[in-house]
């Protein structure tokens, strides 16, 4: 089931209003308490690679983390969302340097579900969408960064990165001493 979320900006309307809608749609849907809307937000935003990729580029990691925090207040045991957020946390050092690395981080092993008893189809789809973006990045319409000239890209040959679901909560970078 696909979800189509449309934001309308009337002629002469404010782009700030559109930006605000983008930023807070998950908060408003979850605050409304309608389970149908919450599930639509789950599948159409939280578990959608393109949505997360756009949001990361526009607002940064904290906005994404905040979306998951709001959702987890309602559904704290959602394993698929937990794995996606954990993959973001493990990739944080790379994503702060360059949000365009999201696809290569996800396709590079963050979502292998190596530590899971069963593979979750929605997580597999998220990883597949990330890999699709890596292959077709110059052709993906609607992305803030549609050209490979917009930054460095790492196309993983193997899935060598630490997978979400393991005991490591995050990866540190830039430190010189013990942590």
């Amino acid at each position: 089931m696909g979800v189509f979320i449309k934001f309308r900006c009337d002629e002469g309307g404010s782009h700030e209003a559109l930006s605000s809608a983008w930023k807070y749609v998950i908060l408003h849907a979850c605050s409304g308490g309608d389970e149908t809307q919450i599930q639509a937000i789950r599948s159409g935003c939280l578990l959608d690679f393109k949505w997360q990729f756009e949001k990361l580029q526009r607002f940064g990691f904290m906005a994404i983390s905040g979306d998951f925090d709001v959702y987890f207040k309602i559904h704290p045991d959602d394993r698929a969302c937990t794995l996606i957020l954990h993959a973001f946390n493990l990739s944080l050092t790379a994503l702060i340097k360059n949000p365009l690395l999201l696809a290569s981080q996800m396709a590079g092993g963050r979502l292998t579900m190596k530590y899971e008893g069963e593979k979750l189809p929605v997580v597999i789809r998220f990883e597949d969408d990330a890999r699709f973006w890596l292959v077709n990045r110059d052709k993906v319409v609607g992305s803030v960064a549609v050209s490979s000239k917009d930054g460095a890209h790492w196309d993983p040959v193997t899935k060598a990165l630490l997978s979400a679901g393991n005991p490591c909560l995050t990866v540190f970078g830039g430190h010189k001493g013990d942590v």
Side-chain angles (χ1 to χ4, degrees):
M1 175 177 116
V3 174
F4 180 69
I5 298 172
K6 182 177 181 182
F7 300 119
R8 193 174 128 245
C9 211
D10 294 339
E11 264 188 56
S14 163
H15 288 286
E16 290 81 26
L18 180 61
S19 180
S20 180
W22 240 99
K23 195 169 188 176
Y24 298 111
V25 67
I26 293 175
L27 172 67
H28 290 298
C30 289
S31 296
D34 180 346
E35 192 59 32
T36 303
Q37 285 185 356
I38 293 168
Q39 289 307 310
I41 289 299
R42 178 187 184 266
S43 64
C45 301
L46 294 173
L47 297 175
D48 183 83
F49 173 78
K50 188 173 179 183
W51 172 273
Q52 294 292 13
F53 186 57
E54 291 285 335
K55 188 138 187 181
L56 179 66
Q57 291 176 79
R58 292 175 189 271
F59 304 108
F61 171 77
M62 293 308 294
I64 290 170
S65 180
D67 287 346
F68 280 105
D69 288 346
V70 167
Y71 177 77
F72 286 142
K73 288 179 181 171
I74 300 166
H75 293 286
D77 298 325
D78 187 320
R79 189 65 186 153
C81 285
T82 299
L83 289 171
I84 298 290
L85 181 58
H86 191 199
F88 269 98
N89 286 331
L90 291 171
S91 303
L92 189 55
T93 302
L95 299 178
I96 287 171
K97 289 182 181 178
N98 185 351
L100 296 178
L101 292 174
L102 177 64
S104 57
Q105 288 285 306
M106 298 302 134
R110 296 290 188 221
L111 296 174
T112 58
M113 292 181 283
K114 183 172 156 179
Y115 300 93
E116 299 300 303
E118 69 177 82
K119 304 294 183 191
L120 304 173
V122 293
V123 176
I124 293 169
R125 187 187 77 223
F126 196 95
E127 182 184 14
D128 288 346
D129 289 348
R131 187 163 303 285
F132 178 82
W133 188 87
L134 283 170
V135 172
N136 299 291
R137 63 180 161 253
D138 290 333
K139 300 174 189 109
V140 176
V141 177
S143 174
V144 172
V146 294
S147 173
S148 61
K149 297 175 185 128
D150 290 335
H153 299 285
W154 173 65
D155 294 334
V157 177
T158 62
K159 295 181 179 188
L161 296 175
L162 194 59
S163 179
N166 69 68
C168 180
L169 298 178
T170 191
V171 176
F172 293 107
H175 55 84
K176 298 197 189 282
D178 293 341
V179 178

